[in-house]
PDB file of all heavy atoms in Angstrom:
ATOM      1  N   ASP A 144      95.142 117.307  73.663  1.00  0.00           N
ATOM      2  CA  ASP A 144      94.169 118.021  74.482  1.00  0.00           C
ATOM      3  C   ASP A 144      92.912 117.173  74.684  1.00  0.00           C
ATOM      4  O   ASP A 144      92.798 116.079  74.169  1.00  0.00           O
ATOM      5  CB  ASP A 144      93.771 119.343  73.801  1.00  0.00           C
ATOM      6  CG  ASP A 144      94.839 120.405  73.973  1.00  0.00           C
ATOM      7  OD1 ASP A 144      95.631 120.313  74.913  1.00  0.00           O
ATOM      8  OD2 ASP A 144      94.858 121.334  73.148  1.00  0.00           O
ATOM      9  N   TYR A 145      91.986 117.759  75.399  1.00  0.00           N
ATOM     10  CA  TYR A 145      90.663 117.180  75.629  1.00  0.00           C
ATOM     11  C   TYR A 145      90.709 115.983  76.581  1.00  0.00           C
ATOM     12  O   TYR A 145      89.986 115.018  76.413  1.00  0.00           O
ATOM     13  CB  TYR A 145      89.957 116.834  74.316  1.00  0.00           C
ATOM     14  CG  TYR A 145      90.016 117.960  73.312  1.00  0.00           C
ATOM     15  CD1 TYR A 145      90.782 117.848  72.163  1.00  0.00           C
ATOM     16  CD2 TYR A 145      89.363 119.156  73.565  1.00  0.00           C
ATOM     17  CE1 TYR A 145      90.861 118.902  71.266  1.00  0.00           C
ATOM     18  CE2 TYR A 145      89.438 120.218  72.673  1.00  0.00           C
ATOM     19  CZ  TYR A 145      90.198 120.083  71.520  1.00  0.00           C
ATOM     20  OH  TYR A 145      90.289 121.122  70.642  1.00  0.00           O
ATOM     21  N   ASP A 146      91.601 116.070  77.566  1.00  0.00           N
ATOM     22  CA  ASP A 146      91.599 115.149  78.694  1.00  0.00           C
ATOM     23  C   ASP A 146      92.026 113.726  78.361  1.00  0.00           C
ATOM     24  O   ASP A 146      91.659 112.781  79.050  1.00  0.00           O
ATOM     25  CB  ASP A 146      90.228 115.165  79.387  1.00  0.00           C
ATOM     26  CG  ASP A 146      89.787 116.587  79.681  1.00  0.00           C
ATOM     27  OD1 ASP A 146      90.505 117.270  80.417  1.00  0.00           O
ATOM     28  OD2 ASP A 146      88.759 117.012  79.125  1.00  0.00           O
ATOM     29  N   SER A 147      92.835 113.570  77.341  1.00  0.00           N
ATOM     30  CA  SER A 147      93.347 112.234  76.997  1.00  0.00           C
ATOM     31  C   SER A 147      94.087 111.563  78.149  1.00  0.00           C
ATOM     32  O   SER A 147      93.878 110.372  78.392  1.00  0.00           O
ATOM     33  CB  SER A 147      94.245 112.304  75.762  1.00  0.00           C
ATOM     34  OG  SER A 147      93.487 112.644  74.636  1.00  0.00           O
ATOM     35  N   PRO A 148      94.954 112.273  78.905  1.00  0.00           N
ATOM     36  CA  PRO A 148      95.635 111.588  80.015  1.00  0.00           C
ATOM     37  C   PRO A 148      94.663 111.076  81.080  1.00  0.00           C
ATOM     38  O   PRO A 148      94.845 109.982  81.614  1.00  0.00           O
ATOM     39  CB  PRO A 148      96.558 112.658  80.611  1.00  0.00           C
ATOM     40  CG  PRO A 148      96.638 113.731  79.607  1.00  0.00           C
ATOM     41  CD  PRO A 148      95.409 113.644  78.762  1.00  0.00           C
ATOM     42  N   PHE A 149      93.634 111.851  81.371  1.00  0.00           N
ATOM     43  CA  PHE A 149      92.669 111.449  82.396  1.00  0.00           C
ATOM     44  C   PHE A 149      91.905 110.194  81.969  1.00  0.00           C
ATOM     45  O   PHE A 149      91.751 109.252  82.735  1.00  0.00           O
ATOM     46  CB  PHE A 149      91.710 112.596  82.698  1.00  0.00           C
ATOM     47  CG  PHE A 149      90.820 112.318  83.876  1.00  0.00           C
ATOM     48  CD1 PHE A 149      91.296 112.474  85.166  1.00  0.00           C
ATOM     49  CD2 PHE A 149      89.520 111.883  83.702  1.00  0.00           C
ATOM     50  CE1 PHE A 149      90.490 112.212  86.268  1.00  0.00           C
ATOM     51  CE2 PHE A 149      88.705 111.613  84.783  1.00  0.00           C
ATOM     52  CZ  PHE A 149      89.192 111.777  86.075  1.00  0.00           C
ATOM     53  N   VAL A 150      91.451 110.169  80.711  1.00  0.00           N
ATOM     54  CA  VAL A 150      90.700 109.010  80.225  1.00  0.00           C
ATOM     55  C   VAL A 150      91.630 107.801  80.092  1.00  0.00           C
ATOM     56  O   VAL A 150      91.248 106.681  80.426  1.00  0.00           O
ATOM     57  CB  VAL A 150      89.981 109.320  78.893  1.00  0.00           C
ATOM     58  CG1 VAL A 150      89.238 108.092  78.389  1.00  0.00           C
ATOM     59  CG2 VAL A 150      89.020 110.493  79.056  1.00  0.00           C
ATOM     60  N   PHE A 151      92.863 108.030  79.620  1.00  0.00           N
ATOM     61  CA  PHE A 151      93.823 106.933  79.537  1.00  0.00           C
ATOM     62  C   PHE A 151      94.003 106.280  80.902  1.00  0.00           C
ATOM     63  O   PHE A 151      93.962 105.055  81.030  1.00  0.00           O
ATOM     64  CB  PHE A 151      95.171 107.424  79.007  1.00  0.00           C
ATOM     65  CG  PHE A 151      96.202 106.338  78.923  1.00  0.00           C
ATOM     66  CD1 PHE A 151      96.311 105.560  77.786  1.00  0.00           C
ATOM     67  CD2 PHE A 151      97.049 106.080  79.983  1.00  0.00           C
ATOM     68  CE1 PHE A 151      97.247 104.541  77.705  1.00  0.00           C
ATOM     69  CE2 PHE A 151      97.991 105.064  79.911  1.00  0.00           C
ATOM     70  CZ  PHE A 151      98.090 104.288  78.778  1.00  0.00           C
ATOM     71  N   ALA A 152      94.189 107.088  81.927  1.00  0.00           N
ATOM     72  CA  ALA A 152      94.367 106.547  83.278  1.00  0.00           C
ATOM     73  C   ALA A 152      93.110 105.822  83.752  1.00  0.00           C
ATOM     74  O   ALA A 152      93.197 104.789  84.425  1.00  0.00           O
ATOM     75  CB  ALA A 152      94.740 107.652  84.253  1.00  0.00           C
ATOM     76  N   ALA A 153      91.929 106.320  83.390  1.00  0.00           N
ATOM     77  CA  ALA A 153      90.678 105.692  83.820  1.00  0.00           C
ATOM     78  C   ALA A 153      90.575 104.247  83.355  1.00  0.00           C
ATOM     79  O   ALA A 153      89.982 103.413  84.035  1.00  0.00           O
ATOM     80  CB  ALA A 153      89.479 106.488  83.325  1.00  0.00           C
ATOM     81  N   VAL A 154      91.168 103.946  82.201  1.00  0.00           N
ATOM     82  CA  VAL A 154      91.053 102.593  81.647  1.00  0.00           C
ATOM     83  C   VAL A 154      92.357 101.802  81.688  1.00  0.00           C
ATOM     84  O   VAL A 154      92.357 100.602  81.415  1.00  0.00           O
ATOM     85  CB  VAL A 154      90.521 102.620  80.192  1.00  0.00           C
ATOM     86  CG1 VAL A 154      89.160 103.271  80.134  1.00  0.00           C
ATOM     87  CG2 VAL A 154      91.489 103.299  79.253  1.00  0.00           C
ATOM     88  N   ASN A 155      93.483 102.450  82.027  1.00  0.00           N
ATOM     89  CA  ASN A 155      94.761 101.767  81.831  1.00  0.00           C
ATOM     90  C   ASN A 155      95.832 102.083  82.872  1.00  0.00           C
ATOM     91  O   ASN A 155      96.990 101.742  82.672  1.00  0.00           O
ATOM     92  CB  ASN A 155      95.296 102.106  80.440  1.00  0.00           C
ATOM     93  CG  ASN A 155      96.107 100.988  79.847  1.00  0.00           C
ATOM     94  OD1 ASN A 155      96.088  99.867  80.327  1.00  0.00           O
ATOM     95  ND2 ASN A 155      96.823 101.296  78.810  1.00  0.00           N
ATOM     96  N   ALA A 156      95.494 102.739  83.952  1.00  0.00           N
ATOM     97  CA  ALA A 156      96.513 103.086  84.958  1.00  0.00           C
ATOM     98  C   ALA A 156      97.008 101.839  85.680  1.00  0.00           C
ATOM     99  O   ALA A 156      96.299 100.851  85.817  1.00  0.00           O
ATOM    100  CB  ALA A 156      95.931 104.065  85.979  1.00  0.00           C
ATOM    101  N   ASP A 157      98.239 101.905  86.151  1.00  0.00           N
ATOM    102  CA  ASP A 157      98.756 100.883  87.051  1.00  0.00           C
ATOM    103  C   ASP A 157      98.359 101.258  88.476  1.00  0.00           C
ATOM    104  O   ASP A 157      98.353 102.438  88.822  1.00  0.00           O
ATOM    105  CB  ASP A 157     100.285 100.814  86.994  1.00  0.00           C
ATOM    106  CG  ASP A 157     100.797 100.102  85.759  1.00  0.00           C
ATOM    107  OD1 ASP A 157      99.986  99.571  84.984  1.00  0.00           O
ATOM    108  OD2 ASP A 157     102.032 100.093  85.573  1.00  0.00           O
ATOM    109  N   CYS A 158      98.055 100.267  89.292  1.00  0.00           N
ATOM    110  CA  CYS A 158      97.831 100.493  90.720  1.00  0.00           C
ATOM    111  C   CYS A 158      99.146 100.170  91.427  1.00  0.00           C
ATOM    112  O   CYS A 158      99.586  99.016  91.419  1.00  0.00           O
ATOM    113  CB  CYS A 158      96.710  99.604  91.239  1.00  0.00           C
ATOM    114  SG  CYS A 158      95.103 100.051  90.588  1.00  0.00           S
ATOM    115  N   VAL A 159      99.766 101.183  92.000  1.00  0.00           N
ATOM    116  CA  VAL A 159     101.104 101.053  92.566  1.00  0.00           C
ATOM    117  C   VAL A 159     101.050 101.261  94.077  1.00  0.00           C
ATOM    118  O   VAL A 159     100.451 102.223  94.555  1.00  0.00           O
ATOM    119  CB  VAL A 159     102.069 102.074  91.930  1.00  0.00           C
ATOM    120  CG1 VAL A 159     103.470 101.932  92.510  1.00  0.00           C
ATOM    121  CG2 VAL A 159     102.097 101.926  90.411  1.00  0.00           C
ATOM    122  N   THR A 160     101.684 100.347  94.812  1.00  0.00           N
ATOM    123  CA  THR A 160     101.795 100.475  96.259  1.00  0.00           C
ATOM    124  C   THR A 160     103.234 100.834  96.597  1.00  0.00           C
ATOM    125  O   THR A 160     104.171 100.222  96.092  1.00  0.00           O
ATOM    126  CB  THR A 160     101.399  99.170  96.971  1.00  0.00           C
ATOM    127  OG1 THR A 160     100.062  98.826  96.572  1.00  0.00           O
ATOM    128  CG2 THR A 160     101.457  99.330  98.484  1.00  0.00           C
ATOM    129  N   TRP A 161     103.376 101.856  97.452  1.00  0.00           N
ATOM    130  CA  TRP A 161     104.679 102.356  97.869  1.00  0.00           C
ATOM    131  C   TRP A 161     104.821 102.250  99.389  1.00  0.00           C
ATOM    132  O   TRP A 161     103.862 102.498 100.098  1.00  0.00           O
ATOM    133  CB  TRP A 161     104.821 103.841  97.525  1.00  0.00           C
ATOM    134  CG  TRP A 161     104.660 104.203  96.083  1.00  0.00           C
ATOM    135  CD1 TRP A 161     103.492 104.449  95.427  1.00  0.00           C
ATOM    136  CD2 TRP A 161     105.696 104.375  95.134  1.00  0.00           C
ATOM    137  NE1 TRP A 161     103.729 104.778  94.119  1.00  0.00           N
ATOM    138  CE2 TRP A 161     105.093 104.739  93.911  1.00  0.00           C
ATOM    139  CE3 TRP A 161     107.098 104.263  95.195  1.00  0.00           C
ATOM    140  CZ2 TRP A 161     105.826 104.988  92.760  1.00  0.00           C
ATOM    141  CZ3 TRP A 161     107.820 104.520  94.038  1.00  0.00           C
ATOM    142  CH2 TRP A 161     107.192 104.869  92.838  1.00  0.00           C
ATOM    143  N   ILE A 162     106.020 101.903  99.855  1.00  0.00           N
ATOM    144  CA  ILE A 162     106.346 102.069 101.268  1.00  0.00           C
ATOM    145  C   ILE A 162     107.021 103.424 101.380  1.00  0.00           C
ATOM    146  O   ILE A 162     107.964 103.727 100.649  1.00  0.00           O
ATOM    147  CB  ILE A 162     107.318 100.989 101.787  1.00  0.00           C
ATOM    148  CG1 ILE A 162     106.617  99.643 101.886  1.00  0.00           C
ATOM    149  CG2 ILE A 162     107.857 101.370 103.169  1.00  0.00           C
ATOM    150  CD1 ILE A 162     107.505  98.535 102.414  1.00  0.00           C
ATOM    151  N   ARG A 163     106.523 104.224 102.295  1.00  0.00           N
ATOM    152  CA  ARG A 163     107.125 105.542 102.517  1.00  0.00           C
ATOM    153  C   ARG A 163     107.951 105.473 103.793  1.00  0.00           C
ATOM    154  O   ARG A 163     107.422 105.294 104.881  1.00  0.00           O
ATOM    155  CB  ARG A 163     106.054 106.612 102.636  1.00  0.00           C
ATOM    156  CG  ARG A 163     106.637 107.993 102.754  1.00  0.00           C
ATOM    157  CD  ARG A 163     105.543 109.022 102.591  1.00  0.00           C
ATOM    158  NE  ARG A 163     106.091 110.354 102.571  1.00  0.00           N
ATOM    159  CZ  ARG A 163     105.653 111.341 103.313  1.00  0.00           C
ATOM    160  NH1 ARG A 163     104.640 111.152 104.133  1.00  0.00           N
ATOM    161  NH2 ARG A 163     106.193 112.528 103.222  1.00  0.00           N
ATOM    162  N   TYR A 164     109.257 105.615 103.615  1.00  0.00           N
ATOM    163  CA  TYR A 164     110.176 105.563 104.754  1.00  0.00           C
ATOM    164  C   TYR A 164     110.342 106.940 105.390  1.00  0.00           C
ATOM    165  O   TYR A 164     110.484 107.059 106.597  1.00  0.00           O
ATOM    166  CB  TYR A 164     111.548 105.043 104.306  1.00  0.00           C
ATOM    167  CG  TYR A 164     111.506 103.627 103.793  1.00  0.00           C
ATOM    168  CD1 TYR A 164     111.597 103.358 102.430  1.00  0.00           C
ATOM    169  CD2 TYR A 164     111.358 102.554 104.659  1.00  0.00           C
ATOM    170  CE1 TYR A 164     111.563 102.063 101.952  1.00  0.00           C
ATOM    171  CE2 TYR A 164     111.315 101.244 104.191  1.00  0.00           C
ATOM    172  CZ  TYR A 164     111.414 101.011 102.827  1.00  0.00           C
ATOM    173  OH  TYR A 164     111.372  99.722 102.358  1.00  0.00           O
ATOM    174  N   SER A 165     110.339 107.966 104.557  1.00  0.00           N
ATOM    175  CA  SER A 165     110.462 109.344 105.032  1.00  0.00           C
ATOM    176  C   SER A 165     109.887 110.251 103.951  1.00  0.00           C
ATOM    177  O   SER A 165     109.469 109.778 102.896  1.00  0.00           O
ATOM    178  CB  SER A 165     111.934 109.694 105.301  1.00  0.00           C
ATOM    179  OG  SER A 165     112.650 109.722 104.078  1.00  0.00           O
ATOM    180  N   LYS A 166     109.888 111.549 104.195  1.00  0.00           N
ATOM    181  CA  LYS A 166     109.363 112.488 103.194  1.00  0.00           C
ATOM    182  C   LYS A 166     110.144 112.419 101.888  1.00  0.00           C
ATOM    183  O   LYS A 166     109.605 112.699 100.827  1.00  0.00           O
ATOM    184  CB  LYS A 166     109.376 113.914 103.737  1.00  0.00           C
ATOM    185  CG  LYS A 166     108.324 114.154 104.779  1.00  0.00           C
ATOM    186  CD  LYS A 166     108.302 115.595 105.211  1.00  0.00           C
ATOM    187  CE  LYS A 166     107.221 115.812 106.262  1.00  0.00           C
ATOM    188  NZ  LYS A 166     107.132 117.193 106.691  1.00  0.00           N
ATOM    189  N   LYS A 167     111.412 112.043 101.971  1.00  0.00           N
ATOM    190  CA  LYS A 167     112.252 112.010 100.780  1.00  0.00           C
ATOM    191  C   LYS A 167     112.491 110.609 100.227  1.00  0.00           C
ATOM    192  O   LYS A 167     113.017 110.465  99.139  1.00  0.00           O
ATOM    193  CB  LYS A 167     113.603 112.665 101.080  1.00  0.00           C
ATOM    194  CG  LYS A 167     113.495 114.144 101.364  1.00  0.00           C
ATOM    195  CD  LYS A 167     114.858 114.755 101.568  1.00  0.00           C
ATOM    196  CE  LYS A 167     114.722 116.241 101.855  1.00  0.00           C
ATOM    197  NZ  LYS A 167     116.011 116.876 102.050  1.00  0.00           N
ATOM    198  N   ARG A 168     112.116 109.583 100.954  1.00  0.00           N
ATOM    199  CA  ARG A 168     112.425 108.221 100.527  1.00  0.00           C
ATOM    200  C   ARG A 168     111.179 107.347 100.517  1.00  0.00           C
ATOM    201  O   ARG A 168     110.491 107.204 101.528  1.00  0.00           O
ATOM    202  CB  ARG A 168     113.486 107.607 101.446  1.00  0.00           C
ATOM    203  CG  ARG A 168     113.953 106.263 100.970  1.00  0.00           C
ATOM    204  CD  ARG A 168     115.196 105.800 101.731  1.00  0.00           C
ATOM    205  NE  ARG A 168     115.451 104.422 101.375  1.00  0.00           N
ATOM    206  CZ  ARG A 168     115.306 103.394 102.192  1.00  0.00           C
ATOM    207  NH1 ARG A 168     114.957 103.590 103.445  1.00  0.00           N
ATOM    208  NH2 ARG A 168     115.539 102.170 101.778  1.00  0.00           N
ATOM    209  N   LYS A 169     110.947 106.752  99.342  1.00  0.00           N
ATOM    210  CA  LYS A 169     109.852 105.800  99.194  1.00  0.00           C
ATOM    211  C   LYS A 169     110.337 104.676  98.278  1.00  0.00           C
ATOM    212  O   LYS A 169     111.294 104.841  97.515  1.00  0.00           O
ATOM    213  CB  LYS A 169     108.605 106.465  98.625  1.00  0.00           C
ATOM    214  CG  LYS A 169     108.763 106.984  97.205  1.00  0.00           C
ATOM    215  CD  LYS A 169     107.516 107.678  96.728  1.00  0.00           C
ATOM    216  CE  LYS A 169     107.728 108.177  95.289  1.00  0.00           C
ATOM    217  NZ  LYS A 169     106.585 108.883  94.776  1.00  0.00           N
ATOM    218  N   GLU A 170     109.664 103.540  98.364  1.00  0.00           N
ATOM    219  CA  GLU A 170     110.047 102.383  97.558  1.00  0.00           C
ATOM    220  C   GLU A 170     108.798 101.737  96.980  1.00  0.00           C
ATOM    221  O   GLU A 170     107.829 101.475  97.695  1.00  0.00           O
ATOM    222  CB  GLU A 170     110.805 101.377  98.423  1.00  0.00           C
ATOM    223  CG  GLU A 170     111.210 100.129  97.673  1.00  0.00           C
ATOM    224  CD  GLU A 170     111.883  99.106  98.585  1.00  0.00           C
ATOM    225  OE1 GLU A 170     112.116  99.402  99.777  1.00  0.00           O
ATOM    226  OE2 GLU A 170     112.141  97.993  98.104  1.00  0.00           O
ATOM    227  N   ARG A 171     108.838 101.494  95.693  1.00  0.00           N
ATOM    228  CA  ARG A 171     107.736 100.814  95.007  1.00  0.00           C
ATOM    229  C   ARG A 171     107.813  99.334  95.377  1.00  0.00           C
ATOM    230  O   ARG A 171     108.819  98.678  95.124  1.00  0.00           O
ATOM    231  CB  ARG A 171     107.898 101.001  93.508  1.00  0.00           C
ATOM    232  CG  ARG A 171     106.830 100.400  92.675  1.00  0.00           C
ATOM    233  CD  ARG A 171     107.184 100.574  91.209  1.00  0.00           C
ATOM    234  NE  ARG A 171     106.001 100.451  90.414  1.00  0.00           N
ATOM    235  CZ  ARG A 171     105.743 101.132  89.323  1.00  0.00           C
ATOM    236  NH1 ARG A 171     106.601 102.022  88.886  1.00  0.00           N
ATOM    237  NH2 ARG A 171     104.644 100.940  88.653  1.00  0.00           N
ATOM    238  N   ILE A 172     106.722  98.803  95.963  1.00  0.00           N
ATOM    239  CA  ILE A 172     106.761  97.404  96.383  1.00  0.00           C
ATOM    240  C   ILE A 172     105.801  96.506  95.603  1.00  0.00           C
ATOM    241  O   ILE A 172     105.937  95.290  95.630  1.00  0.00           O
ATOM    242  CB  ILE A 172     106.484  97.253  97.900  1.00  0.00           C
ATOM    243  CG1 ILE A 172     105.115  97.811  98.259  1.00  0.00           C
ATOM    244  CG2 ILE A 172     107.591  97.885  98.704  1.00  0.00           C
ATOM    245  CD1 ILE A 172     104.642  97.405  99.631  1.00  0.00           C
ATOM    246  N   TYR A 173     104.825  97.113  94.921  1.00  0.00           N
ATOM    247  CA  TYR A 173     103.862  96.301  94.183  1.00  0.00           C
ATOM    248  C   TYR A 173     103.233  97.139  93.087  1.00  0.00           C
ATOM    249  O   TYR A 173     102.977  98.323  93.270  1.00  0.00           O
ATOM    250  CB  TYR A 173     102.774  95.779  95.131  1.00  0.00           C
ATOM    251  CG  TYR A 173     101.736  94.928  94.443  1.00  0.00           C
ATOM    252  CD1 TYR A 173     102.019  93.638  94.034  1.00  0.00           C
ATOM    253  CD2 TYR A 173     100.468  95.431  94.190  1.00  0.00           C
ATOM    254  CE1 TYR A 173     101.075  92.846  93.384  1.00  0.00           C
ATOM    255  CE2 TYR A 173      99.506  94.662  93.546  1.00  0.00           C
ATOM    256  CZ  TYR A 173      99.819  93.375  93.151  1.00  0.00           C
ATOM    257  OH  TYR A 173      98.885  92.615  92.508  1.00  0.00           O
ATOM    258  N   SER A 174     102.980  96.489  91.951  1.00  0.00           N
ATOM    259  CA  SER A 174     102.306  97.166  90.854  1.00  0.00           C
ATOM    260  C   SER A 174     101.363  96.181  90.166  1.00  0.00           C
ATOM    261  O   SER A 174     101.788  95.129  89.701  1.00  0.00           O
ATOM    262  CB  SER A 174     103.340  97.691  89.855  1.00  0.00           C
ATOM    263  OG  SER A 174     102.704  98.381  88.809  1.00  0.00           O
ATOM    264  N   ASP A 175     100.081  96.528  90.135  1.00  0.00           N
ATOM    265  CA  ASP A 175      99.080  95.710  89.459  1.00  0.00           C
ATOM    266  C   ASP A 175      98.762  96.387  88.128  1.00  0.00           C
ATOM    267  O   ASP A 175      98.170  97.465  88.096  1.00  0.00           O
ATOM    268  CB  ASP A 175      97.820  95.593  90.324  1.00  0.00           C
ATOM    269  CG  ASP A 175      96.794  94.639  89.747  1.00  0.00           C
ATOM    270  OD1 ASP A 175      96.856  94.341  88.534  1.00  0.00           O
ATOM    271  OD2 ASP A 175      95.923  94.189  90.508  1.00  0.00           O
TER     272      ASP A 175
END
């Protein structure tokens, strides 16, 4: 509890870029 996921993401999230082909199909193309 106490917002651990939010703080974890603030300091450690991946930045992910996706190509969206349709509402049901997307592809991860880059992750920093």
Side-chain angles (χ1 to χ4, degrees):
D144 283 337
Y145 312 111
D146 310 300
S147 293
F149 188 80
V150 179
F151 179 88
V154 300
N155 211 14
D157 283 355
C158 292
V159 181
T160 303
W161 302 85
I162 289 181
R163 185 169 186 230
Y164 296 105
S165 67
K166 287 184 180 181
K167 294 184 180 180
R168 186 169 171 249
K169 65 182 180 181
E170 179 184 355
R171 182 184 201 144
I172 60 166
Y173 180 74
S174 182
D175 186 341

